[in-house]
Amino acid sequence: MGLFGRKNNESATATATLPVDPALAALSGDYTIDPAHSSIGFTVRHAMVTNVRGSFAEHEGALKLDGSNPAASTASIDVKIASIDTGIGDRDGHLRSGDFFDAEQFPLMSFRSTEAAQLGGDKYRITGDLTIKDVTKPLSIDLEFNGTATDVYGNERVGFEGSAEILRSEWGLTWNAALETGGVMVSDKVKLNFDISAIKNAA
């Protein structure tokens, strides 16, 4: 079942005449991301030989799903930089410092969608603007729609998981250290991971 419109060369008029899937239309509405059942994480190569994984414990966001015009669906999220957690306190402190995120001056990382497309089946790509340290650049996130459910409290939920890769230097995250054996301490490439559960707002 598609949530976002597939990009193609058909005219907007032709697209508008396509029948609306009743199950898709039923998903229309505003959703709030549930931080207790969602995660936003990252993986980065360390010292050229291993990976460091971390996450941001505090974030909030919203989805707007439009079943009658799926391409109009949107997503937004704000992440509190100070909530970064890699499991090592000293490393987390360094990441919050001016060498990296400078969390005191730039407390939030944000994403605002600008476009969405279905890639086939339950796979999608959402494109938008990612802002880190007041630098805004486009980012595309590949997502898989995990379906819908009504939880034990009667909340209507939708779920997505996905990933994207960025070069941190493009957002001003340039700190590094050279290794005696060659290479650098921290890779420029960072993989972002998303596991999102969102609750439909009451009408």
Side-chain angles (χ1 to χ4, degrees):
M1 178 173 60
L3 282 179
F4 302 109
R6 184 191 298 274
K7 293 179 66 179
N8 53 42
N9 295 322
E10 296 178 1
S11 69
T13 300
T15 301
T17 62
L18 293 176
V20 176
D21 182 342
L24 174 60
L27 295 179
S28 293
D30 296 320
Y31 292 75
T32 299
I33 292 175
D34 176 10
H37 296 94
S38 301
S39 64
I40 299 174
F42 61 89
T43 304
V44 62
R45 182 77 70 179
H46 177 262
M48 309 294 291
V49 297
T50 190
N51 289 316
V52 168
R53 293 175 173 82
S55 63
F56 296 92
E58 297 181 40
H59 51 82
E60 61 182 21
L63 308 176
K64 183 178 182 63
L65 304 183
D66 188 333
S68 299
N69 181 21
S73 298
T74 61
S76 65
I77 192 162
D78 292 308
V79 176
K80 188 175 180 180
I81 295 296
S83 71
I84 195 168
D85 182 9
T86 66
I88 303 294
D90 288 345
R91 181 166 59 206
D92 295 343
H94 191 199
L95 290 169
R96 295 184 190 107
S97 76
D99 282 346
F100 284 95
F101 287 105
D102 196 355
E104 185 172 346
Q105 184 174 356
F106 305 103
L108 295 178
M109 173 173 61
S110 66
F111 177 80
R112 299 290 184 270
S113 68
T114 57
E115 185 179 353
Q118 184 178 3
L119 302 180
D122 286 332
K123 297 186 182 299
Y124 305 86
R125 178 169 294 147
I126 188 163
T127 299
D129 294 324
L130 176 66
T131 300
I132 304 173
K133 297 179 71 173
D134 277 358
V135 177
T136 300
K137 290 186 174 292
L139 175 70
S140 292
I141 304 170
D142 288 338
L143 295 167
E144 183 170 358
F145 176 49
N146 289 336
T148 66
T150 301
D151 66 22
V152 294
Y153 302 105
N155 297 313
E156 296 180 59
R157 291 179 178 266
V158 294
F160 297 88
E161 60 182 310
S163 63
E165 287 189 351
I166 66 170
L167 298 178
R168 61 187 178 90
S169 60
E170 294 185 351
W171 280 268
L173 302 172
T174 57
W175 183 92
N176 228 321
L179 302 174
E180 292 184 4
T181 53
V184 292
M185 181 70 73
V186 185
S187 170
D188 191 21
K189 183 185 293 185
V190 180
K191 183 176 181 181
L192 305 176
N193 305 293
F194 306 88
D195 198 343
I196 301 297
S197 178
I199 297 172
K200 192 172 187 178
N201 299 346

